[in-house]
Amino acid sequence: MKNKIKIPLIVFSSLFALLLIFSLIASPIAKNYVQKHDKELIGRELSIGRICVNPFLGSAKIKDLTIFEDDGTTSFVNFDLFEAKIRLWDLFKHRVWVKKISVSGLKLNVEQNYKWFNFNSLIDHLSTRKPKFNTIQGFGFVINNATIEDSDFRYADLAMGNEFLMRDIAIQIPSLDGLSLKTQVGLDLCLSDNTMLHTDLHLFENAKEYSINLKLSNLNLDIIEPYLQQYVAFDSLKGALSLDLMGQGHTEHILDFDMNGEAVIKGFALQDKEGTYLGKIYSVFAKIERFNLNDRVLDFEKLHFSGLNTVYIFRAD
């Protein structure tokens, strides 16, 4: 009787020990493989602080990952922590059910020089790389609780000598069904000490239609100076733009959207090359009834100017 009990206990203990050992060695194996084959996988060098994989709980953590530029030293993207959890039993139902996926401390550096971007080589590598295995057909997916927190995004236009930084980016996606593609996405970020952007995006059935609420506060207009100076000769542009807009549209026709709401510009000032102010406006308030780029419609319900000041100088030529 004792032997009959001992045998299952020994077998169970051995299996448990093997599973535990496999769980412990899976993480360093995964880390070593990714770092050794980084050039083959993505075409660039990368470094990983730590990978924690638990195949029995369906969870994974990656800490301190950095993908470098083509020079192998400059950081292109890095994050502090990536976490993901899936429901293992749903894999037998031909469905990937993600219970949680989160990224914190993400820092992305994008540079552009006319048609060149610093991620071109990544796209070229991934587009030409042939997969070794056939894609599994018939799998659906559900993603819940997807978040990005405490993240920064830097964009630099090298040709124009212009750059801006988006700080404290937070993105929340409560759920996304791979079949219906219905979802809600919330985005918050900081463009400067006084400039905040909030968007709330709803995608409807099959992601064909959407609605969006966009709120922007105190965006400095000098950010568009280098681009306007290609068409208009002026020295400086000052002012702050705030928006509160609602829009509806179709994802299949990007320019076919209707938008309405309010726009405010404060402290507008345009200065010419000689240092003369062409125009100053204390504030501009616009209540937009309908804006549709496709139909070329801009309908104002109300347009109010305050403190308008202009100077025109006529010369002999």
Side-chain angles (χ1 to χ4, degrees), residues 8-64:
L9 284 174
I10 293 172
V11 173
F12 177 79
S13 300
S14 301
L15 288 174
F16 180 79
L18 288 172
L19 293 175
L20 182 62
I21 293 171
F22 178 76
S23 179
L24 291 173
I25 67 173
S27 298
I29 288 175
K31 175 185 175 180
N32 291 333
Y33 178 83
V34 171
Q35 290 195 145
K36 185 177 180 180
H37 298 275
D38 51 3
K39 283 278 191 177
E40 177 187 349
L41 293 170
I42 63 172
R44 288 191 180 182
E45 294 182 13
L46 60 81
S47 68
I48 300 175
R50 187 180 179 187
I51 295 181
C52 302
V53 180
N54 192 324
F56 309 107
L57 296 178
S59 66
K61 288 184 181 180
I62 302 176
K63 295 183 178 181
D64 301 323

Side-chain angles (χ1 to χ4, degrees), residues 221 234 236-239 265-272 275-284 305-313:
L221 295 179
F234 66 92
S236 66
L237 174 65
K238 297 179 180 178
I265 297 178
K266 291 186 177 181
F268 177 86
L270 181 65
Q271 193 174 24
D272 69 9
T276 303
Y277 282 101
L278 299 172
K280 288 182 178 181
I281 305 175
Y282 176 73
S283 69
V284 181
F305 293 85
S306 175
L308 177 62
N309 217 321
T310 60
V311 175
Y312 293 93
I313 298 175

Side-chain angles (χ1 to χ4, degrees), residues 22-308:
F22 178 76
S23 179
L24 291 173
I25 67 173
S27 298
I29 288 175
K31 175 185 175 180
N32 291 333
Y33 178 83
V34 171
Q35 290 195 145
K36 185 177 180 180
H37 298 275
D38 51 3
K39 283 278 191 177
E40 177 187 349
L41 293 170
I42 63 172
R44 288 191 180 182
E45 294 182 13
L46 60 81
S47 68
I48 300 175
R50 187 180 179 187
I51 295 181
C52 302
V53 180
N54 192 324
F56 309 107
L57 296 178
S59 66
K61 288 184 181 180
I62 302 176
K63 295 183 178 181
D64 301 323
L65 181 140
T66 300
I67 297 176
F68 296 98
E69 299 275 12
D70 291 325
D71 59 14
T73 57
T74 307
S75 172
F76 168 65
V77 61
N78 67 281
F79 57 76
D80 296 334
L81 179 63
F82 169 86
E83 290 184 274
K85 292 181 180 180
I86 66 172
R87 292 187 353 188
L88 294 175
W89 290 109
D90 281 84
L91 296 176
F92 296 101
K93 301 176 184 178
H94 293 273
R95 180 173 60 184
V96 178
W97 190 296
V98 180
K99 296 193 293 184
K100 174 187 177 182
I101 182 168
S102 66
V103 179
S104 62
L106 175 68
K107 290 179 175 57
L108 175 63
N109 178 52
V110 174
E111 294 183 349
Q112 178 185 3
N113 194 346
Y114 296 105
K115 293 183 179 181
W116 172 88
F117 288 89
N118 62 338
F119 52 78
N120 283 359
S121 61
L122 274 172
I123 296 176
D124 293 341
H125 178 84
L126 295 175
S127 62
T128 56
R129 185 170 178 265
K130 296 181 179 180
K132 294 183 178 181
F133 304 99
N134 294 326
T135 304
I136 300 175
Q137 301 294 328
F139 260 79
F141 70 89
V142 175
I143 298 176
N144 290 319
N145 301 318
T147 59
I148 296 177
E149 298 176 330
D150 302 325
S151 299
D152 299 336
F153 169 67
R154 173 185 173 267
Y155 168 77
D157 189 336
L158 303 181
M160 303 303 300
N162 191 33
E163 75 172 62
F164 61 89
L165 178 65
M166 298 180 184
R167 298 184 290 107
D168 302 329
I169 298 174
I171 300 175
Q172 291 186 338
I173 305 175
S175 65
L176 172 61
D177 190 326
L179 296 178
S180 67
L181 296 181
K182 292 172 61 176
T183 188
Q184 177 183 353
V185 181
L187 167 65
D188 291 279
L189 58 88
C190 178
L191 292 169
S192 68
D193 292 339
N194 298 317
T195 306
M196 301 294 296
L197 174 65
H198 168 77
T199 64
D200 191 8
L201 173 67
H202 290 257
L203 289 175
F204 300 107
E205 199 73 28
N206 295 320
K208 290 183 178 180
E209 296 182 349
Y210 68 88
S211 69
I212 186 171
N213 175 224
L214 185 150
K215 292 183 180 180
L216 175 68
S217 62
N218 300 315
L219 175 67
N220 290 327
L221 295 179
D222 59 6
I223 196 172
I224 62 173
E225 267 189 16
Y227 305 100
L228 285 179
Q229 285 173 342
Q230 296 182 84
Y231 308 101
V232 182
F234 66 92
D235 181 64
S236 66
L237 174 65
K238 297 179 180 178
L241 171 67
S242 297
L243 299 170
D244 188 353
L245 302 174
M246 289 290 299
Q248 303 85 34
H250 303 271
T251 55
E252 296 178 354
H253 305 283
I254 301 299
L255 299 181
D256 186 12
F257 63 87
D258 278 331
M259 192 159 284
N260 61 82
E262 298 179 352
V264 178
I265 297 178
K266 291 186 177 181
F268 177 86
L270 181 65
Q271 193 174 24
D272 69 9
K273 294 291 186 179
E274 283 73 36
T276 303
Y277 282 101
L278 299 172
K280 288 182 178 181
I281 305 175
Y282 176 73
S283 69
V284 181
F285 172 79
K287 189 169 185 180
I288 303 169
E289 181 71 19
R290 182 184 180 225
F291 172 56
N292 188 298
L293 192 61
N294 189 56
D295 294 342
R296 299 181 182 180
V297 171
L298 179 55
D299 184 4
F300 293 102
E301 181 180 333
K302 183 178 181 180
L303 190 59
H304 182 266
F305 293 85
S306 175
L308 177 62

